[in-house]
Amino acid sequence: GINAEYGGAREETRPRVHCVPKEKVWSLDKEAQAQENCVWKACSAGQYLDQQSGCQDCPADQWSVGGTTTSCMRCPDGKGVNTGQGTSEVACLWKSCSAGQYL
C-alpha cells in the first residue's frame, strides 16, 4: 500500500508481520517480514533470557544485570538475595547467621 508521499515520490510499505509472542520485537538489522527476524526483548535486571520462553527471574542467591544475558551469576559465599531481586552483585546481602554463629 501507499505509506506517504515524500518529495513527489511514493514510498511503498510491505505488510508487517507481528512478532509472536508479544515479548519479541523486530531485530534492528533485519527487515520485519518473517517470524525468524523477531528477537526477544531485553530482560530487566534480576532476570536472564531463556531463548525458548523469554525472560525468567534469576533463582534465589543469583543476580543478573538483565539485557540479553542467558544466565545468572551466583552471589558470593555467605550472601544471598530473593528470587528475581538480584539486580547486581551489590544486591546480594549477608545471610542471617544460625543460632550460635556470628559474622
Side-chain angles (χ1 to χ4, degrees):
I2 304 299
N3 183 25
E5 284 194 30
Y6 181 73
R10 292 177 185 224
E11 181 184 332
E12 291 288 322
T13 58
R14 297 182 184 139
R16 251 190 110 90
V17 176
H18 295 283
C19 289
V20 177
K22 65 182 176 153
E23 292 81 17
K24 286 190 169 185
V25 294
W26 294 114
S27 172
L28 295 178
D29 62 343
K30 305 275 184 179
E31 289 191 38
Q33 295 182 36
Q35 285 297 320
E36 56 267 17
N37 295 339
C38 294
V39 295
W40 291 103
K41 290 181 183 178
C43 298
S44 299
Q47 296 182 319
Y48 69 96
L49 179 60
D50 179 304
Q51 290 295 336
Q52 301 305 311
S53 56
C55 296
Q56 304 293 314
D57 286 344
C58 288
D61 302 334
Q62 296 185 27
W63 63 274
S64 168
V65 294
T68 57
T69 187
T70 56
S71 63
C72 300
M73 303 291 293
R74 289 198 173 280
C75 290
D77 288 343
K79 291 186 174 186
V81 66
N82 291 332
T83 300
Q85 300 299 308
T87 56
S88 70
E89 188 172 346
V90 175
C92 298
L93 302 176
W94 287 107
K95 292 182 177 183
S96 300
C97 294
S98 300
Q101 295 180 323
Y102 64 94
L103 286 173

